[in-house]
Amino acid sequence: MFTRFTPEARRTTVRAGLLALDHGRATLDEDMFLLALAESWPVADFAVTPEAVGTEIGNREAATGRAGDRELLASIGVDLDEVRRRLPTRREDPLAWRLTRSRLRPLNVTLSGPAGDLLLTARARKVVEVALHTSGTGSKVTGEGLLKGLLADGSNASVAILRGLGVDIRGLAAGIGFLRESA
């Protein structure tokens, strides 16, 4: 699947996976795509910063009773920074990662690389599929395509986070050419 991604979109997807792993998750959710996009492709007109998105994600995790991985590991004496220092140096190399669809279960899409394997949740898979679809045949998926994938489902966590940050979702969608014209 990564053959249809620009280097920027591939880096963003890998970063989303690494963020999910750093948050102690076994799956890749769409909120990590939003955080990775905020880091790599800031939407300046809408004042979405990685810090603001990270804070919103942390607040949502706290509200659901999910502790961050750093806190959980520290409680048993594991230093997360030391673990990261010992990981392979290619951990963040986008070329060392693969995005594949299962042949036996076509709805299962997995991001695999040196830091581990992450199954994409249904909403994260939708982000990728919408990005692939909106890029068109023969075109590459871009960061903007991933953002379109996030905006495609108005009920996902990323849209709720953006709304919580005061972003005009309709204005954002119009700004990237993702609104259909009225009849």
Side-chain angles (χ1 to χ4, degrees):
M1 294 176 98
F2 268 156
T3 58
R4 296 221 16 231
F5 282 57
T6 62
E8 167 218 0
R10 186 177 183 141
R11 265 190 310 278
T12 300
T13 302
V14 168
R15 181 67 182 142
L18 291 170
L19 289 166
L21 289 169
D22 290 348
H23 277 81
R25 297 183 182 182
T27 58
L28 174 54
D29 290 307
E30 77 280 5
D31 59 345
M32 292 295 118
F33 270 105
L34 177 61
L35 183 54
L37 274 170
E39 289 179 357
S40 67
W41 191 69
V43 186
D45 296 342
F46 297 94
V48 175
T49 65
E51 295 78 22
V53 172
T55 298
E56 276 295 311
I57 290 171
N59 292 342
R60 289 171 180 277
E61 287 176 343
T64 61
R66 281 182 72 180
D69 63 335
R70 184 175 298 278
E71 293 80 18
L72 290 173
L73 290 170
S75 71
I76 60 170
V78 176
D79 179 4
L80 184 59
D81 292 326
E82 180 61 28
V83 171
R84 286 187 183 137
R85 275 191 291 279
R86 292 179 185 217
L87 285 174
T89 57
R90 297 190 63 206
R91 177 179 190 255
E92 295 188 26
D93 179 6
L95 297 176
W97 289 80
R98 295 181 330 274
L99 187 64
T100 56
R101 183 181 303 279
S102 169
R103 290 182 191 171
L104 298 175
R105 297 180 180 214
L107 294 180
N108 287 353
V109 176
T110 304
L111 179 64
S112 303
D117 297 333
L118 288 165
L119 183 65
L120 275 67
T121 63
R123 290 187 170 171
R125 187 184 71 241
K126 184 174 184 176
V127 169
V128 171
E129 289 174 347
V130 168
L132 286 165
H133 179 72
T134 59
S135 69
T137 306
S139 295
K140 299 274 189 175
V141 171
T142 63
E144 186 173 290
L146 292 171
L147 182 58
K148 289 176 182 179
L150 287 173
L151 297 177
D153 180 1
S155 66
N156 74 30
S158 295
V159 172
I161 289 169
L162 289 171
R163 281 193 181 113
L165 294 173
V167 173
D168 172 17
I169 301 299
R170 190 166 181 75
L172 177 57
I176 61 171
F178 196 54
L179 281 182
R180 283 189 265 167
E181 295 297 321
S182 300

